[in-house]
Amino acid sequence: MDAKRLERLEKKYKKSADRQLETPPKKHGPGPGPRHGGPGRMGGAKPKDAGKALKRIFSYIEADRIKLVFVLFCVILNTVASLAGSYMLRPIINGLTEEGGSVQKLFGSIVLMAGIYLVGVTASYLQARIMIGVSQGALQRIRNDLFGKVQKLPVRFYDTNSYGDIMSRFSNDVDAIGEMMNNTIVQVISAVISVTGTFALMLYTNVWLTLITIVMLPLMMKAAGFVGKRSQKYYKAQQAALGTLNGYIEETVTGQKVVKVFCHEETAEEEFHYLNRDLRDKQIKAQFFGGIMGPVMGNFSQISYSLTACIGGLLCVLRGFDLGGLTVFVNYSRQFSRPINELSMQMNTIFSALAGAERVFAMMDEAPECEDKEDAVGIAEKDGRFYWEIPEEQEKYTYRKEQPELKPEVVLQNVYFGYNPDKTILKHITLYAKPGQKIAFVGSTGAGKTTITNLLNRFYDIGQGCISIDGIDIQDIRRDDLRRNVAMVLQDTHLFTGTVRENIRYGRLDATDEEVVEAAKTASAHSFIMRLEHGYDTMLEGDGANLSQGQRQLLNIARAAISKAPILILDEATSSVDTRTERHIEKGMDRLMADRTTFVIAHRLSTVRNANAIMVLENGEIIERGDHEELLAQKGRYYELYTGLSELD
Ligand SMILES: Nc1ncnc2c1ncn2[C@@H]1O[C@H](COP(=O)(O)OP(=O)(O)OP(=O)(O)O)[C@@H](O)[C@H]1O
Ligand SMILES: [Mg+2]
């Protein structure tokens, strides 16, 4: 790889690695973004407010309070048993060395010691078993809460956050929390008890020897801190490099067709090698520093051990310190530093879990779609007719109580809207759609056609103006009822894993099999479905990967056709379907929507020719309106689009 290219790569990926080292970004820019296994987990990244995150994690465990108390009891029992078990060595050894010791006494002590260890082992087994249940239960609740939240978030959230980032909160971040719950919590409790208990027993056994440990302790802590800090730094870098590499793999695998089309295989391989090498270098450093923690601590522990043994030996000879006491003491001096070592090695798990928890909780705290108004109007369906449900407290629309039947008459009055407050996309949109009418939106790419449909079913709320159905402001309608009654075929198709039948039925869950077939026929999907291997029972996976683009669109149309909604929006619904099939669908839909209102968006102008009114949008404004003939006669923008004249300028 030449130097220039290398420099460019370094610049590109340095940026992305740095980004991953920062606190989790809200929005991922272009470039390799994380998906599964991405840098979402941000191992080692320091959490902003560790205490708060920890408290909230505990609030999820709290539900199992009784089990937790039992775990605590088992941990204490286990630690105490282990301390007591090793203390038993003292009478055993003293019994052997002192005069008058008997085999019987020795045997008794050994049985007692075995008993104590057995209690310890049982407690440790129970504690592990119960703690797994507790932590998995907590994770289940976290995932439930998170998914519940995902269903309530506004479309704006999805438009501004990358899919990979959202995914990694469910996978990596939750996993990181789980790892900490499974191991670290018990370890911390056990370490605290063990260190305190050991220290007490050391003091009890011999105060002078304990002094050696007290002197060694700060030295050990300092060394652990030094190595730990280094390893944490490299561990962070390693995770960032891992994230970048994962992001790159994800991007290249999902975009494999584009890679092939532009023959970028070799470049992709080169870039991959570069990133892979970077990961290797960082991993070597991280693992080296992570790996030397053990030996360094081991050395200190050895020194402390030898000093204790030497001085203890002297005490035995000169001061009559008992041999049993010395044996248990040297054991304790080993035992004392072990939990401290183990905990220092757990710091990365704790940090990544807390950082993960913050990301999970940040998503849980995102503002959901605003609540319906207290007096929001509902819509009910009965025998194919629709009725307004005006609640008692609703004062604005009391007059509708007498004539509750809904007429799908859609009015937009002077609507202004922008996705961001600083940029207005739609300006001065006013239109009137009578029941049964077909209104078309045409206009160049980015003109704002899809944006209008986003407003009709309240994916976004408008900034200024009013949108009403049958005289009722859509802001005053219960959001669920509104969406149930505005069927939509979105510009980007989406199919769920499941059979063809299930996918069509998604439009109305109580539809019968006959209705499914009927809807498929309306959408001209029946004949191709029958040609599939298992007909309506064919499984669709990966967003309908085994279907053609046009077939996917037909299923999306069938899904909308099965819903009895009085208002239908088709956003480029037939853009990938051949013109003959399109004509068929049009006829079927016209029949279906005879007394309903349809909004159609299409670039292929032949599709909208028979619409009652065509709105020509340009830069978010309606610049021309009328039916096909009128617009052609005007010789304006529509004429240009229709005759292809605009391509010439
Ligand atoms: N989620 C969004 N956030 C911010 N701006 C957006 C968003 N979606 C669309 N826009 C902007 O709004 C404008 C109108 O987009 P819209 O999707 O309505 O166009 P369109 O007329 O449907 O185009 P096309 O024919 O390509 O589907 C565009 O300039 C686009 O950049
Ligand atoms: Mg669009």
Side-chain angles (χ1 to χ4, degrees):
M1 209 185 304
D2 60 52
K4 226 172 171 175
R5 223 172 119 59
L6 193 70
E7 198 186 314
R8 196 178 58 77
L9 277 176
E10 268 173 0
K11 219 163 138 192
K12 181 170 161 192
Y13 291 112
K14 166 94 177 39
K15 237 166 96 191
S16 93
D18 286 351
R19 197 179 51 215
Q20 287 148 23
L21 282 178
E22 289 160 9
T23 17
K26 269 205 113 169
K27 188 176 167 180
H28 278 279
R35 189 167 276 183
H36 320 276
R41 171 164 163 186
M42 316 227 328
K46 274 213 173 100
K48 273 178 287 176
D49 186 348
K52 215 165 130 195
L54 207 58
K55 228 165 135 184
R56 203 149 161 195
I57 293 178
F58 271 105
S59 73
Y60 278 93
I61 313 179
E62 252 193 338
D64 282 326
R65 221 170 290 133
I66 299 172
K67 284 188 188 165
L68 218 56
V69 170
F70 193 68
V71 167
L72 188 68
F73 174 72
C74 287
V75 174
I76 295 174
L77 198 64
N78 179 26
T79 321
V80 170
S82 137
L83 291 174
S86 38
Y87 193 78
M88 282 301 292
L89 273 178
R90 189 176 195 176
I92 292 175
I93 291 176
N94 286 345
L96 279 176
T97 48
E98 276 166 12
E99 280 185 24
S102 71
V103 176
Q104 216 172 9
K105 238 168 121 183
L106 178 71
F107 187 71
S109 301
I110 290 176
V111 169
L112 185 61
M113 189 174 167
I116 290 173
Y117 275 127
L118 191 67
V119 170
V121 169
T122 317
S124 131
Y125 168 80
L126 284 176
Q127 154 232 303
R129 183 84 186 68
I130 297 168
M131 196 57 208
I132 287 172
V134 171
S135 60
Q136 292 307 322
L139 288 188
Q140 183 191 6
R141 285 189 286 277
I142 292 177
R143 277 194 296 261
N144 274 345
D145 279 5
L146 196 60
F147 192 74
K149 186 69 196 206
V150 161
Q151 302 303 314
K152 291 195 187 75
L153 286 173
V155 171
R156 184 182 294 279
F157 178 82
Y158 296 97
D159 282 349
T160 48
N161 281 278
S162 87
Y163 158 62
D165 191 46
I166 299 172
M167 280 305 296
S168 81
R169 288 172 208 238
F170 273 99
S171 49
N172 301 317
D173 294 336
V174 172
D175 282 353
I177 302 174
E179 217 165 284
M180 179 175 93
M181 280 205 252
N182 270 343
N183 304 317
T184 321
I185 294 179
V186 168
Q187 250 180 19
V188 170
I189 302 172
S190 139
V192 172
I193 304 170
S194 171
V195 167
T196 332
T198 314
F199 192 68
L201 283 171
M202 280 162 93
L203 275 178
Y204 173 73
T205 316
N206 194 303
V207 180
W208 296 110
L209 288 180
T210 314
L211 275 179
I212 300 174
T213 314
I214 294 176
V215 170
M216 291 301 284
L217 193 63
L219 288 177
M220 275 171 99
M221 296 294 245
K222 200 138 185 94
F226 177 77
V227 180
K229 224 170 167 174
R230 282 289 160 98
S231 75
Q232 200 186 325
K233 181 174 137 202
Y234 291 120
Y235 182 76
K236 264 195 209 176
Q238 169 197 304
Q239 287 300 103
L242 187 66
T244 312
L245 190 78
N246 279 342
Y248 190 79
I249 296 172
E250 181 236 313
E251 204 179 51
T252 330
V253 170
T254 48
Q256 191 50 231
K257 281 186 192 158
V258 182
V259 172
K260 284 202 165 34
V261 166
F262 292 98
C263 296
H264 268 290
E265 288 99 332
E266 233 169 85
T267 333
E269 228 172 290
E270 254 181 29
E271 295 202 359
F272 181 81
H273 285 172
Y274 167 78
L275 292 174
N276 201 8
R277 202 168 41 241
D278 184 50
L279 173 64
R280 181 203 62 192
D281 294 346
K282 287 177 177 153
Q283 252 171 348
I284 288 175
K285 277 190 191 141
Q287 313 244 332
F288 172 72
F289 275 98
I292 60 170
M293 176 74 102
V296 167
M297 299 305 272
N299 281 345
F300 274 99
S301 163
Q302 284 297 354
I303 295 171
S304 168
Y305 181 74
S306 328
L307 275 177
T308 312
C310 290
I311 299 177
L314 284 176
L315 286 178
C316 279
V317 177
L318 304 173
R319 288 289 185 93
F321 182 39
D322 61 316
L323 202 56
L326 177 63
T327 318
V328 294
F329 196 96
V330 286
N331 249 342
Y332 284 148
S333 87
R334 279 239 156 119
Q335 223 162 299
F336 183 74
S337 56
R338 209 190 51 222
I340 300 176
N341 289 354
E342 280 172 1
L343 272 189
S344 61
M345 300 226 227
Q346 290 266 330
M347 276 343 245
N348 283 330
T349 319
I350 297 175
F351 277 137
S352 45
L354 291 180
E358 283 195 339
R359 283 162 54 77
V360 168
F361 296 143
M363 187 149 136
M364 282 190 195
D365 294 342
E366 281 283 336
E369 282 192 295
C370 64
E371 290 276 324
D372 285 332
K373 290 180 187 166
E374 292 262 310
D375 56 357
V377 176
I379 302 172
E381 188 238 316
K382 205 170 164 220
D383 304 328
R385 289 172 171 272
F386 300 88
Y387 300 92
W388 292 111
E389 279 180 339
I390 314 284
E392 282 301 317
E393 59 272 33
Q394 173 60 261
E395 285 167 6
K396 230 157 89 189
Y397 307 109
T398 36
Y399 66 94
R400 292 312 305 248
K401 282 185 185 159
E402 269 105 66
Q403 17 158 253
E405 187 161 0
L406 180 154
K407 287 199 301 300
E409 183 183 86
V410 183
V411 178
L412 279 81
Q413 263 171 342
N414 207 12
V415 170
Y416 282 78
F417 172 76
Y419 290 97
N420 303 308
D422 50 340
K423 191 168 175 239
T424 313
I425 303 274
L426 294 180
K427 284 159 255 163
H428 189 61
I429 302 287
T430 298
L431 69 88
Y432 180 62
K434 282 193 206 145
Q437 274 195 331
K438 186 160 150 187
I439 307 288
F441 293 111
V442 300
S444 40
T445 295
K449 304 179 295 292
T450 302
T451 307
I452 294 189
T453 65
N454 279 343
L455 302 181
L456 286 177
N457 71 351
R458 286 184 65 197
F459 274 171
Y460 288 88
D461 282 327
I462 52 174
Q464 205 183 314
C466 175
I467 302 178
S468 63
I469 296 175
D470 197 12
I472 296 190
D473 190 333
I474 57 169
Q475 311 258 12
D476 295 329
I477 303 174
R478 281 206 288 270
R479 197 186 287 103
D480 278 3
D481 281 357
L482 174 73
R483 291 194 182 147
R484 212 170 289 132
N485 290 287
V486 179
M488 234 173 156
V489 179
L490 299 172
Q491 192 163 9
D492 355 295
T493 59
H494 185 78
L495 295 166
F496 292 96
T497 302
T499 62
V500 169
R501 196 191 311 278
E502 282 163 357
N503 265 287
I504 297 180
R505 194 173 277 147
Y506 204 83
R508 184 159 56 88
L509 295 180
D510 60 357
T512 61
D513 282 357
E514 290 74 37
E515 285 172 319
V516 169
V517 175
E518 199 51 45
K521 282 185 179 159
T522 308
S524 292
H526 181 71
S527 57
F528 99 77
I529 296 173
M530 291 315 286
R531 282 199 303 275
L532 293 175
E533 201 182 341
H534 301 290
Y536 281 86
D537 295 315
T538 309
M539 276 299 282
L540 300 177
E541 266 159 57
D543 205 358
N546 42 350
L547 298 178
S548 82
Q549 190 62 36
Q551 288 169 338
R552 276 176 239 176
Q553 283 196 331
L554 297 187
L555 289 187
N556 274 270
I557 297 172
R559 186 159 64 195
I562 205 168
S563 113
K564 291 181 177 166
I567 297 166
L568 174 70
I569 298 170
L570 302 166
D571 190 354
E572 288 290 347
T574 48
S575 57
S576 303
V577 175
D578 68 85
T579 37
R580 214 182 111 254
T581 312
E582 190 182 36
R583 209 58 42 86
H584 269 287
I585 299 172
E586 218 174 287
K587 282 207 190 103
M589 286 311 230
D590 285 350
R591 214 175 331 112
L592 191 78
M593 300 304 292
D595 47 0
R596 302 180 188 181
T597 309
T598 316
F599 292 92
V600 186
I601 296 174
H603 282 294
R604 201 151 56 189
L605 296 186
S606 56
T607 320
V608 301
R609 232 167 42 183
N610 71 346
N612 301 89
I614 300 170
M615 310 283 153
V616 185
L617 273 174
E618 208 57 76
N619 287 328
E621 279 184 90
I622 299 179
I623 52 163
E624 285 170 28
R625 62 178 83 207
D627 66 19
H628 178 69
E629 305 300 332
E630 286 165 8
L631 288 175
L632 278 189
Q634 274 186 28
K635 297 236 156 131
R637 183 85 183 124
Y638 184 79
Y639 180 81
E640 285 175 5
L641 286 171
Y642 191 73
T643 54
L645 267 181
S646 61
E647 284 168 26
L648 305 176
D649 44 72

